[in-house]
């Protein structure tokens, strides 16, 4: 009798263990996955990080200055930004631009063309000679390969080109931003003159209506 009860208890324990295993299997977390098309699926596997390439930047969004530069070069460019001031038909300006490009210096270029540009350059440098290079707050007037290279070295810029492939400096801009001409407004139209109402016909007798009859 005792043996039968013992076997019955073992069967009950085994059944209870199977129920626990089944309950554990049923208690597994269920994950909700949404694909790029918005389709929703459920799975017992956790979603993994997407391996799709990052979306390209939207049109009209300007990337931050010096984005994509190596870390050390980006740090130098932030501390000592380089700006070239150039003019048209200026051979030294072209030589200066070539030096910066060949050495791989990230720089901005401002053109001096209009009278407003010349006035702004004179206020900044007390003269109007080109080219002009600024490295941080340092101004280098007139092109000199040796002098410019010395100052670029002192600022910490690399002596050889370390720009990533495909890097392009921003396009040249006028020193003084060109403002759009205001749109001329059309003159307001004059209010139409009030029309004169015809004079009321006389109510009394007239030569053509001696009886003064009203029609």
């Amino acid at each position: 009798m005792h043996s039968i009860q013992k076997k019955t208890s073992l069967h009950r324990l085994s059944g209870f263990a199977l129920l626990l295993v089944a309950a554990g299997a049923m208690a597994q977390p269920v994950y909700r996955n949404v694909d790029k098309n918005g389709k929703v699926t459920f799975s017992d596997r956790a979603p993994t990080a997407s391996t799709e390439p990052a979306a390209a930047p939207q049109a009209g969004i300007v990337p931050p200055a010096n984005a994509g530069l190596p870390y050390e070069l980006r740090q130098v460019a932030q501390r000592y930004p380089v700006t070239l001031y150039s003019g048209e038909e200026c051979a030294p300006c072209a030589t200066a631009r070539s030096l910066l490009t060949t050495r791989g210096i990230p720089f901005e270029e401002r053109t001096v063309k209009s009278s407003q540009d010349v006035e702004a350059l004179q206020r900044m440098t007390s003269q109007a000679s080109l080219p002009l290079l600024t490295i941080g707050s340092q101004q280098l007037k007139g092109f000199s390969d040796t002098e410019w290279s010395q100052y670029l070295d002192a600022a910490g810029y690399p002596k050889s080109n370390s720009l990533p492939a495909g890097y392009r400096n921003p396009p040249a801009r006028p020193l003084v931003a060109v403002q759009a001409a205001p749109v001329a407004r059309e003159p307001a139209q004059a209010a139409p003159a009030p029309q004169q109402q015809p004079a009321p016909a006389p109510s009394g007798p007239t030569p053509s209506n001696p009886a003064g009859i009203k029609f």
Side-chain angles (χ1 to χ4, degrees), residues 82-190:
V82 175
T83 304
L84 171 65
Y85 298 84
S86 63
E88 293 181 327
E89 298 180 0
C90 172
C93 298
T95 306
R97 187 184 304 108
S98 177
L99 169 67
L100 298 175
T101 304
T102 303
R103 181 162 170 170
I105 303 297
F107 68 96
E108 291 188 358
E109 183 173 359
R110 298 297 181 89
T111 57
V112 180
K113 298 179 181 180
S114 66
S115 57
Q116 291 86 353
D117 295 335
V118 175
E119 292 174 0
L121 182 66
Q122 289 177 336
R123 289 194 299 267
M124 184 173 61
T125 66
S126 300
Q127 63 181 30
S129 60
L130 293 172
L132 169 71
L133 186 73
T134 59
I135 307 174
S137 59
Q138 179 68 44
Q139 295 183 0
L140 302 178
K141 303 173 183 178
F143 175 70
S144 171
D145 190 333
T146 303
E147 183 184 16
W148 285 27
S149 297
Q150 289 176 348
Y151 277 94
L152 291 171
D153 294 343
Y157 281 98
K159 295 184 179 182
S160 59
N161 193 333
S162 63
L163 293 175
Y167 180 86
R168 295 291 182 272
N169 288 305
R173 296 182 298 162
L175 179 55
V176 178
V178 179
Q179 298 181 355
V183 179
R185 296 183 178 180
E186 296 182 357
Q189 296 181 355

Side-chain angles (χ1 to χ4, degrees), residues 6 35 54 76 99 113:
K6 186 176 181 180
D35 62 12
V76 176
L99 169 67
K113 298 179 181 180

Side-chain angles (χ1 to χ4, degrees), residues 27-52:
Q28 290 182 354
V30 177
Y31 299 96
R32 179 176 180 268
N33 302 320
V34 182
D35 62 12
K36 62 181 181 180
N37 297 322
K39 182 180 179 181
V40 180
T41 57
F42 295 91
S43 173
D44 57 352
R45 296 184 179 180
T48 57
S50 175
T51 57
E52 295 182 2

